[in-house]
Amino acid sequence: PLPTAPAAVARLCSGAGGEAEAAGGDGAMLRHLARKLRASGPVTVAEYMREALTNPGQGYYTRRGGVGESGDFITSPEISQVFGELIGIWYISEWMAMGKPSTLQLVELGPGRGTLTEDILRVFKQLASVLSKCDVSVHLVEVSPKLSEIQAVMLTGGKVQPNPEDKSAYMEGISKNGIPIFWYSNIQDVPPGYSFYLAHEFFDALPIHKFQRTEKGWREVLVDIDPEVPDQLRFVLSPSRTPATQNFIQPEETRDHVEVCPEAGVIVQRLASRIEKDGGAALVADYGHDGTKTDTLRGFRNHKLHDVLSAPGTADLTADVDFSYLRKMAQGRTATLGPIKQREFLKNMGIDLRLQVLLQNSGDKATRQQLLHSYDMLMNPEKMGDCFNFFALLPHHRLVHPDTNDKSKSPSPPVAGFNELLLK
Ligand code: SAH
């Protein structure tokens, strides 16, 4: 398939974008939340986000899905096939550097429409001779029934079996080139084993807690019903400290407003323990910062910024990923690399060469223009090039520089994509 032109808008780092749009919706989620708030008082921003995004009946991801040109936002894998191909090459190069283990699980968290896995599997197919002795399987962690259906059509042509016996998966199928694919609602259900994890625009969708420093100490931002306006939500501050202010604010914190995503921390801890025990690597790509930003929570609907508290369940809610927090939560179980900017990572992975080959192979002008346009979306520092970052977890031994006096050990090759960082 040819790269598709981005008719749609990507969610960029916080701060990029225009006025937020307030909007209606059918109001079912708002009524549900208003009842809950009236009955038991304000909720944390994390609880609000969890309801709005993944409530089993009315949540945004559960019902709407959002990704793609016809959705509310567009992502890199939807912009160009080259993006997923280069990630596929990253995994193969790591698999080779780690001594070509005989089994490999590709585990994607929040696969959206399934496009990224599809592009990676195409690379695996093209390099079938390299992978011929490796038993490859795909494991998708997806909460949204709607998106898992779209993924199943994309990856298997829709031939899937629900609730397979003796499996922790809720669905299984076989890819067009014969690779088994399993779906789970939680990373903990994925069987152990040598695995490559992938989280593209996944961590930004997880619920965050928001805190503010006040004269009386740290307070948590909560969501409450506005007493003046019926069924309208508003932000309030907790009257005293909350369990979260005690657990998540570091004593050395210098910012006055802080966002923390404990769920991301728990998932990174799990990934790090699994990689430490069974080997493999994790690649995280998202917009974010290294513990410096303050207020990044925002909503998107129909490719426009959307008021976070308006018509919950009808808009995507997202916050920048704090990579310094992810690094901390790996707790030294694995080494970490990055974050490095998307344009540097893709350049190190050879995107320019790949573009040249595709340009040479495409006969018509419109296709060539599309290729250049999507390259610009991914690489331009003012578009996705600088906002998005790549971050990796790798076993410590992968980064050990061998003792130069010990000639029996060959040096580990540099980690692709990050090699400039390694040279520092
Ligand atoms: N990776 C895709 C989609 C990003 S949107 C892309 O880049 O195009 C976020 C994805 O994470 C969606 O598939 C959404 O349904 C899924 N998701 C959100 N919260 C989740 C959770 N708690 N557990 C598993 N998947 C989740």
Side-chain angles (χ1 to χ4, degrees):
L2 286 168
T4 48
V9 166
R11 302 175 301 176
L12 297 178
C13 301
S14 57
E19 282 285 284
E21 197 186 55
D26 65 12
M29 167 67 78
L30 181 60
R31 285 195 298 278
H32 157 74
L33 278 166
R35 264 198 307 276
K36 185 168 163 170
L37 296 172
R38 269 191 217 101
S40 44
V43 295
T44 62
V45 173
E47 232 174 306
Y48 172 73
M49 270 182 95
R50 189 170 298 111
E51 283 284 338
L53 293 180
T54 55
N55 174 296
Q58 299 293 331
Y60 170 77
Y61 282 116
T62 328
R63 270 187 355 152
R64 208 164 135 117
V67 197
E69 268 179 64
S70 59
D72 297 295
F73 58 93
I74 186 107
T75 59
S76 295
E78 304 292 327
I79 287 168
S80 168
Q81 67 177 68
V82 176
F83 186 81
E85 289 171 355
L86 295 177
I87 290 182
I89 291 168
W90 191 87
Y91 285 126
I92 299 226
S93 100
E94 276 311 297
W95 173 77
M96 291 171 78
M98 293 182 194
K100 304 186 181 176
S102 60
T103 61
L104 183 174
Q105 303 192 133
L106 175 66
V107 184
E108 188 176 359
L109 309 177
R113 305 179 60 80
T115 314
L116 192 45
T117 287
E118 169 88 347
D119 292 341
I120 293 172
L121 290 184
R122 195 175 48 255
V123 170
F124 284 10
K125 187 177 165 207
Q126 278 157 0
L127 296 176
S129 57
V130 180
L131 280 168
S132 63
K133 293 204 183 77
C134 182
D135 187 3
V136 179
S137 55
V138 172
H139 305 261
L140 305 176
V141 179
E142 175 58 73
V143 276
S144 162
K146 184 164 174 168
L147 283 172
S148 63
E149 233 173 76
I150 294 174
Q151 293 150 16
V153 171
M154 166 84 76
L155 297 167
T156 71
K159 285 186 249 85
V160 284
Q161 188 199 335
N163 305 315
E165 273 176 40
D166 309 330
K167 294 263 164 53
S168 50
Y170 65 77
M171 189 161 83
E172 79 176 314
I174 296 196
S175 83
K176 288 166 233 158
N177 48 325
I179 293 174
I181 308 189
F182 303 91
W183 279 262
Y184 313 81
S185 3
N186 198 299
I187 175 88
Q188 278 167 295
D189 298 334
V190 176
Y194 181 91
S195 301
F196 282 142
Y197 302 92
L198 176 59
H200 185 264
E201 288 212 30
F202 170 73
F203 285 111
D204 70 79
L206 299 180
I208 56 154
H209 288 267
K210 280 177 81 75
F211 305 100
Q212 283 184 21
R213 193 195 295 272
T214 71
E215 280 170 5
K216 296 186 205 124
W218 284 97
R219 294 290 181 265
E220 181 160 7
V221 178
L222 304 172
V223 175
D224 197 6
I225 196 100
D226 190 331
E228 314 275 302
V229 192
D231 281 357
Q232 180 152 319
L233 305 177
R234 58 168 190 168
F235 287 119
V236 293
L237 278 187
S238 65
S240 53
R241 294 196 299 174
T242 63
T245 51
Q246 263 131 309
N247 290 327
F248 300 127
I249 299 285
Q250 303 304 313
E252 65 276 14
E253 182 59 64
T254 53
R255 291 169 289 175
D256 288 337
H257 289 196
V258 174
E259 296 172 339
V260 182
C261 183
E263 215 169 292
V266 169
I267 292 175
V268 165
Q269 269 177 353
R270 289 200 177 122
L271 296 182
S273 329
R274 291 170 78 113
I275 292 169
E276 183 184 36
K277 195 157 161 278
D278 302 317
L283 200 54
V284 175
D286 225 310
Y287 35 74
H289 58 92
D290 223 1
T292 51
K293 284 201 180 179
T294 53
D295 294 286
T296 74
L297 174 65
R298 58 212 185 276
F300 281 92
R301 190 166 119 156
N302 293 329
H303 303 277
K304 290 204 184 84
L305 274 176
H306 174 92
D307 179 351
V308 170
L309 294 182
S310 158
T314 69
D316 176 42
L317 301 180
T318 173
D320 282 17
V321 173
D322 179 350
F323 290 101
S324 69
Y325 181 66
L326 301 192
R327 196 183 301 116
K328 193 168 127 224
M329 295 313 277
Q331 294 173 322
R333 291 195 172 104
T334 61
T336 63
L337 282 179
I340 78 165
K341 291 183 190 324
Q342 168 157 309
R343 70 185 157 87
E344 289 170 32
F345 180 87
L346 295 178
K347 207 161 208 96
N348 291 340
M349 288 304 301
I351 191 170
D352 292 317
L353 199 64
R354 182 74 186 124
L355 176 73
Q356 290 314 320
V357 171
L358 287 172
L359 285 173
Q360 272 160 23
N361 292 348
S362 61
D364 66 295
K365 200 172 156 203
T367 312
R368 282 201 297 274
Q369 268 171 353
Q370 232 177 41
L371 283 166
L372 290 167
H373 183 72
S374 51
Y375 174 91
D376 183 59
M377 272 295 276
L378 296 180
M379 297 292 284
N380 187 328
E382 310 214 313
K383 295 177 181 164
M384 298 168 102
D386 265 5
C387 268
F388 282 80
N389 298 277
F390 278 75
F391 175 80
L393 303 180
L394 292 154
H396 285 292
H397 62 77
R398 178 64 185 86
L399 299 187
V400 168
H401 294 287
D403 182 351
T404 37
N405 295 323
D406 184 353
K407 302 279 183 246
S408 65
K409 284 193 187 139
S410 56
S412 315
V415 178
F418 294 89
N419 57 4
E420 298 224 331
L421 266 190
L422 267 183
L423 293 173
K424 268 192 195 163

